[in-house]
Amino acid sequence: MKLLSTARSGIAALALVAGTIPAAAAFPERLITVIVPFAAGGPGDTVVRIVGEHMARTLGQPIVVENVTGAGGTIGITRGLQAKPDGYTIMVGQMGTHGAAPAQYPNLKYDPAKDFAPIGLMAATPIVIVARKDFPANNLQEFVDHVKRNQDKVVEAHAGVGSVSHTTCTLLQSIMGTKTTRVAYRGTGPTLNDLVAGQVDFGCDQIVNVAPQIQAGTIKAFGIATAERSAAMKDVPTTSEGGLPQFVVSAWIALFAPKGTPQHVVGKLNDALVKALDDEGIRTRLLDLGSEIPDLAGRTPDALQGLVVREVARWTPILSTAGQ
Ligand code: MLT
């Protein structure tokens, strides 16, 4: 009987392994939902729609964007991490939701470094100080002077406490020593609409969101917060050139799955991401918007995990002392 039971367990084991192999090879068998935790038309939405288009082709299944907004992106992320960890629900996380949020939300329902299966980084996105096109300043120094003199009247627009736009303009206002009115939107897609309409005065936004409007002249750019000028906007000076060298800051946009998503599923999603970032057409679209595309080493799940750990450690002390 022992032999038979051994034989049976052997066959069972073989079947199990065999059963697993088709499952691994089969993913994905249906459409994938990607939660964008901000309103449509913002940087996160824009980047994932570009990259996701190519990923869908590689994976052979549609990738559908679901915008779940509020609380600086933390509502959408909380929804995403509670999804079944099967790879069919993933989410866009970024420097706000996975870097600044712990310092801004003491009761945050997740730990960016523990509650996710990182898939990979899609793009780094330098920050630009932007303003309505008739803002009464012609350069960064005049912008700073005007905001200082009129901080009781000037209005900054952002995508909610803890978002990239809020976090980086908290740093900017801390450097300027100002405390203006700050208005929260559900993403910097809507923020940009009101900036173009002249309803608000300024903001700190990711280059991928504002590049087209700057190039069209419908908003003003006073400085890009990087060491070098952007190839996508050569005539926009750096913040250092404009006399604000302390304001050098970039954001980033990535893909995450819920913790517990099987390794082979994460691997397939990462492989599709890597292929998308190597595609000339996708690269051109991302680079034309001023984003920086991670190299191969920067696209791994481990690289993203390391970035999250570093970003939480970086922003927590800054935001704890910024006093906004
Ligand atoms: C942010 O400020 O975090 C983003 O720009 C929000 C968005 O993607 O709309």
Side-chain angles (χ1 to χ4, degrees), residues 194-256:
D194 274 7
L195 203 60
V196 170
Q199 301 298 312
V200 291
D201 294 307
F202 76 98
C204 303
D205 203 351
Q206 296 170 72
I207 192 168
V208 294
N209 198 41
V210 294
Q213 299 295 348
I214 293 167
Q215 287 151 0
T218 54
I219 58 173
K220 272 183 179 176
F222 286 118
I224 182 167
T226 43
E228 306 297 328
R229 293 193 180 198
S230 165
M233 297 193 307
K234 292 190 176 68
D235 55 351
V236 175
T238 65
T239 46
S240 303
E241 289 174 277
L244 217 56
Q246 320 91 302
F247 190 64
V248 174
V249 58
S250 252
W252 46 271
I253 302 173
L255 287 174
F256 293 86

Side-chain angles (χ1 to χ4, degrees), residues 19 24 36 48 67 71 121 143 172-173 197 208 230 238 240 247 256 259 262 277 300 302:
V36 172
V48 79
N67 301 85
L121 179 65
F143 165 81
L172 175 65
Q173 293 228 37
V208 294
S230 165
T238 65
S240 303
F247 190 64
F256 293 86
K259 182 170 64 176
L277 296 180
T300 67
D302 285 349

Side-chain angles (χ1 to χ4, degrees), residues 38-39 42-45 94 96 159 163-166 186-189 204-206:
F38 294 99
D45 193 72
Q94 31 98 292
S163 66
V164 165
S165 42
H166 176 268
R186 291 187 168 276
T188 52
C204 303
D205 203 351
Q206 296 170 72

